[in-house]
Amino acid sequence: MTYQIKAFENGIRVVHQEVNSTRLVHCGFILDIGSRDETEEQVGLAHFWEHMAFKGTQKRKAFHILNRLDSVGGELNAYTTKEKICFYATVLQEHWNKAADLLCDITFNSTFPPKQIEKERQVILEEMAMYRDSPDDALQDEFDSLLFPNHSLGYNILGTEDSVRSFTQQHFINFIAKHMDTSRIVVSVVGNISFKKALNRLTPLLSNIPTSRSSLMRTPSLTYTPQSNTFNKEITQANCALGKPAFSIDDPRRFKLHLLNNILGGPSMNSRLNMALREKHGLVYSIESVYQAFTDTGFIGIYYGTEEKAAEKARKIVLKEIHRICTKKLGSMQLHMGKEQAIGQMAMAEENYAGLMLVYGKTLLDKGKIERLEDIFSSIRSATAEELMELANEIYDVDKFSFLTYLPK
């Protein structure tokens, strides 16, 4: 399958891939703006904007926005991350024009009605309460602040109660005016629609968007020192996190780290951490090891929950597995299986066309190009056991790890 790219004079780019084996079209407007672009007083504003995009534009009220695609069996959604805001939709191909028009409208023409701000403020406060009641989510959010102290990457995407209560219509208008940059916007389309037909609708919509540029520069977090914190919470399990900063998306070793992380504690049931903690000792229901790359940094983190009385034993087993991957070279069969597993997972992910659409948009923004899957596979296949052990000793240096634990009161 091949993709095509079109750039407009204002800097907005369209990336498209036609897929004839589906009746659906997936489309997303991906903006290179996220929670890390907020000041300390603005924390939570990008996420609030994502919510408010559905609450009114210059030509639509909230009811018309929410009903526009739902009424024809489509889906409209959005998300905010540390570095991106995305508005996206999935519709039958015959309703493509409706989806493109609506997504463009909510991205560029939101009016942030004050009455709707008051309603949505309460919705977000309820969302924050829901996450606080979910210790694994709360743990991951708080762990970010250990890895990126006094930096916007460590802020909670949802914000704080005080910040969410403080936002007015003018806050949104000012934030967008400062951050909107048409050269940092990608419209991604994957589905049963030709490039020509996609552009027939997108060209009149996008070419009329005024050119805007932002001088905002992202700066990396440079103040990391390992920390170990324990808190008592109203929970029934001990919830634990450990990890440290790691490679950015521009580091050529990131695919090898993805492979190493996958072997240690990736999503498969046969990961070393899952086999040791769940299958052998029955200490956890789930354990995950993640590698998250940003434009100028990244991190690795290991998260799990266990009985309070088993917390120390579980930690020792986790550290033992980390020590093993740092000191014992992978055998040829282990290495081969690890590579095939990582490649297979990526290949399956490409079959998820909604996910592929989002990956295309994010990658084009971050890298300026779409990385060929075969090139990624080649990087993974080229990894040697010696390289991975050297990488493990650099990344999984436990002396530089931070630890965060929630214990039941």
Side-chain angles (χ1 to χ4, degrees), residues 60-116:
R60 290 183 173 94
K61 292 185 177 181
F63 171 80
H64 301 114
I65 292 170
L66 298 175
N67 197 50
R68 181 72 168 162
L69 300 185
D70 279 11
S71 63
V72 293
E75 292 182 355
L76 176 66
N77 213 331
Y79 66 80
T80 305
T81 68
K82 303 283 186 181
E83 297 189 327
K84 302 287 182 287
I85 294 176
C86 178
F87 306 105
Y88 62 102
T90 295
V91 291
L92 290 167
Q93 62 193 102
E94 54 262 38
H95 301 302
W96 149 251
N97 284 353
K98 287 182 178 181
D101 180 59
L102 182 64
L103 287 170
C104 189
D105 194 28
I106 66 174
T107 301
F108 297 107
N109 301 318
S110 292
T111 54
F112 309 105
K115 288 184 178 179
Q116 292 287 353

Side-chain angles (χ1 to χ4, degrees), residues 5-16 27 29 96-97 100-101 104 108 187 189 193-210:
I5 296 175
K6 160 80 174 177
F8 291 93
E9 286 189 11
N10 55 19
I12 297 174
R13 286 165 289 175
V14 174
V15 58
H16 167 273
C27 179
F29 280 55
W96 149 251
N97 284 353
D101 180 59
C104 189
F108 297 107
V187 179
V189 183
I193 186 172
S194 68
F195 190 42
K196 180 180 179 181
K197 187 173 181 181
L199 289 181
N200 282 345
R201 187 68 199 110
L202 289 172
T203 298
L205 292 172
L206 301 177
S207 59
N208 290 326
I209 303 298

Side-chain angles (χ1 to χ4, degrees), residues 143-345:
F143 193 55
D144 288 348
S145 66
L146 291 188
L147 300 179
F148 305 107
N150 305 310
H151 190 276
S152 54
L153 279 173
Y155 297 165
N156 189 319
I157 291 173
L158 300 183
T160 67
E161 284 196 26
D162 288 342
S163 66
V164 168
R165 291 185 190 280
S166 72
F167 297 140
T168 65
Q169 184 185 53
Q170 197 60 46
H171 283 101
F172 296 104
I173 294 170
N174 294 345
F175 186 77
I176 291 172
K178 184 175 182 179
H179 292 82
M180 185 66 78
D181 187 330
T182 45
S183 68
R184 293 166 59 193
I185 298 172
V186 167
V187 179
S188 183
V189 183
V190 174
N192 196 345
I193 186 172
S194 68
F195 190 42
K196 180 180 179 181
K197 187 173 181 181
L199 289 181
N200 282 345
R201 187 68 199 110
L202 289 172
T203 298
L205 292 172
L206 301 177
S207 59
N208 290 326
I209 303 298
T211 300
S212 59
R213 294 289 181 266
S214 171
S215 59
L216 202 69
M217 296 292 291
R218 289 171 173 164
T219 56
S221 173
L222 302 174
T223 58
Y224 174 75
T225 53
Q227 295 188 59
S228 183
N229 292 340
T230 300
F231 299 100
N232 294 104
K233 301 277 186 178
E234 295 286 353
I235 54 179
T236 56
Q237 264 192 326
N239 286 263
C240 311
L242 58 155
K244 62 180 281 291
F247 303 144
S248 75
I249 57 170
D250 288 326
D251 196 299
R253 297 168 292 175
R254 73 189 188 283
F255 293 124
K256 292 182 173 67
L257 177 53
H258 173 81
L259 169 61
L260 189 64
N261 176 74
N262 210 54
I263 292 169
L264 178 64
S268 296
M269 296 292 284
N270 68 344
S271 74
R272 289 188 171 188
L273 289 175
N274 191 71
M275 293 298 289
L277 271 84
R278 175 172 168 156
E279 299 303 322
K280 184 175 180 180
H281 293 281
L283 295 179
V284 302
Y285 173 70
S286 68
I287 180 167
E288 63 173 341
S289 175
V290 301
Y291 163 47
Q292 173 70 57
F294 301 118
T295 50
D296 51 10
T297 185
F299 72 90
I300 50 109
I302 297 170
Y303 308 94
Y304 60 94
T306 188
E307 268 193 297
E308 183 179 6
K309 64 183 182 181
E312 187 58 34
K313 181 178 180 181
R315 177 187 286 203
K316 287 180 178 178
I317 294 171
V318 170
L319 296 179
K320 180 181 178 181
E321 289 301 322
I322 290 173
H323 179 74
R324 187 161 73 98
I325 208 165
C326 290
T327 56
K328 188 173 181 181
K329 193 168 67 173
L330 290 167
S332 57
M333 183 56 70
Q334 291 175 317
L335 181 59
H336 174 74
M337 288 173 61
K339 291 176 180 179
E340 291 304 305
Q341 186 176 70
I343 289 169
Q345 289 170 354

Side-chain angles (χ1 to χ4, degrees), residues 23-38:
R23 291 189 61 189
L24 301 175
V25 178
H26 309 279
C27 179
F29 280 55
I30 300 102
L31 287 65
D32 199 24
I33 305 169
S35 64
R36 72 169 299 179
D37 301 311
E38 301 161 344

